[in-house]
Amino acid sequence: KAGVTQTPRYLIKTRGQQVTLSCSPISGHRSVSWYQQTPGQGLQFLFEYFSETQRNKGNFPGRFSGRQFSNSRSEMNVSTLELGDSALYLCASSLNPAPDGETQYFGPGTRLLVL
Amino acid sequence: GDSVTQMEGPVTLSEEAFLTINCTYTATGYPSLFWYVQYPGEGLQLLLKATKADDKGSNKGFEATYRKETTSFHLEKGSVQVSDSAVYFCALSPTGNQFYFGTGTSLTVIP
């Protein structure tokens, strides 16, 4: 079974631009979560989608948004990029959200560099 | 709010040494606890998990016990190998799929 795929793997943007990252979950998985990983802050939760609905959202500004499609693929968008948005963006999928924390499977990430 | 605190690295050990990476958490209710591992150049992989107090998660020789009385989930391995060199993340999930991760502990095992 193919794993979680993320595209693109690497991206260079300039301040003020916007960017869209894509995530395809493992086949059959309906829940997708996004994380930002930086050396200083570690892994921080951005948001989670299930059945095309945002279920949870982390503490990030409104410039960060996402959506999920009917085939469970998800995109996240960052508008008006800032230097501090440079990070590895990780997507994780799971079968369903569950009260005890369904095991998440992570993709390889998209490395975004903002100049 | 919910959070995870894990020991800062980097940690450097000789092969066959004993490993402990401390992890403590703050959460309301009864979260599930996880250890994830990130090998160089790869994505995060689930190493082990525990969903209730006194549960012990184990995998690949690693173990961690969910201690509610001390709000801890320390990772241990009796004899590390060079191939265990990676970054280890402690995480909790209070509900659904909202995860809170520690900042990660880098482990280097030297032959």
Side-chain angles (χ1 to χ4, degrees):
Chain A
K1 189 186 273 191
V4 178
T5 57
Q6 293 186 246
T7 57
R9 293 294 310 279
Y10 304 93
L11 207 48
I12 300 176
K13 293 286 188 178
T14 56
R15 280 181 298 175
Q17 287 187 309
Q18 74 155 12
V19 67
T20 299
L21 311 182
S22 180
C23 171
S24 293
I26 290 172
S27 178
H29 284 194
R30 299 192 296 159
S31 177
V32 173
S33 297
W34 288 90
Y35 296 84
Q36 181 194 66
Q37 185 178 18
T38 59
Q41 300 294 321
L43 269 163
Q44 293 185 285
F45 173 78
L46 279 156
F47 27 65
E48 181 221 347
Y49 287 87
F50 176 71
S51 293
E52 302 177 64
T53 301
Q54 186 180 89
R55 294 184 66 249
N56 291 298
K57 189 176 192 303
N59 189 26
F60 278 82
R63 300 185 297 107
F64 292 81
S65 63
R67 59 177 175 168
Q68 186 180 34
F69 302 95
S70 58
N71 61 358
S72 295
R73 190 177 70 84
S74 177
E75 290 182 346
M76 68 163 279
N77 183 277
V78 187
S79 62
T80 320
L81 283 165
E82 300 177 0
L83 295 179
D85 297 333
S86 295
L88 180 67
Y89 289 89
L90 293 169
C91 167
S93 77
S94 60
L95 274 170
N96 296 295
D100 66 350
E102 180 84 11
T103 298
Q104 293 194 327
Y105 296 85
F106 283 80
T110 294
R111 187 163 296 280
L112 171 65
L113 176 62
V114 182
L115 301 175
Chain B
D2 296 339
S3 66
V4 171
T5 303
Q6 63 181 101
M7 66 183 283
E8 299 208 3
V11 174
T12 302
L13 294 173
S14 297
E15 207 165 21
E16 298 183 5
F18 185 85
L19 168 72
T20 299
I21 300 178
N22 290 337
C23 172
T24 58
Y25 67 90
T26 301
T28 53
Y30 302 92
S32 293
L33 301 173
F34 303 79
W35 276 100
Y36 278 83
V37 58
Q38 188 174 32
Y39 297 103
E42 298 183 17
L44 272 76
Q45 302 173 26
L46 177 67
L47 182 59
L48 52 85
K49 74 174 186 180
T51 59
K52 60 183 188 296
D54 299 326
D55 264 4
K56 177 186 284 188
S58 62
N59 186 25
K60 299 182 181 179
F62 291 89
E63 292 182 341
T65 301
Y66 189 142
R67 301 283 188 203
K68 189 157 178 62
E69 64 275 12
T70 54
T71 61
S72 65
F73 193 55
H74 305 320
L75 182 68
E76 296 182 335
K77 186 174 185 182
S79 176
V80 294
Q81 305 300 312
V82 172
S83 57
D84 294 327
S85 298
V87 181
Y88 292 82
F89 293 88
C90 184
L92 72 83
S93 177
T95 180
N97 273 347
Q98 187 160 5
F99 277 64
Y100 296 89
F101 283 83
T103 52
T105 301
S106 174
L107 170 67
T108 300
V109 180
I110 55 177

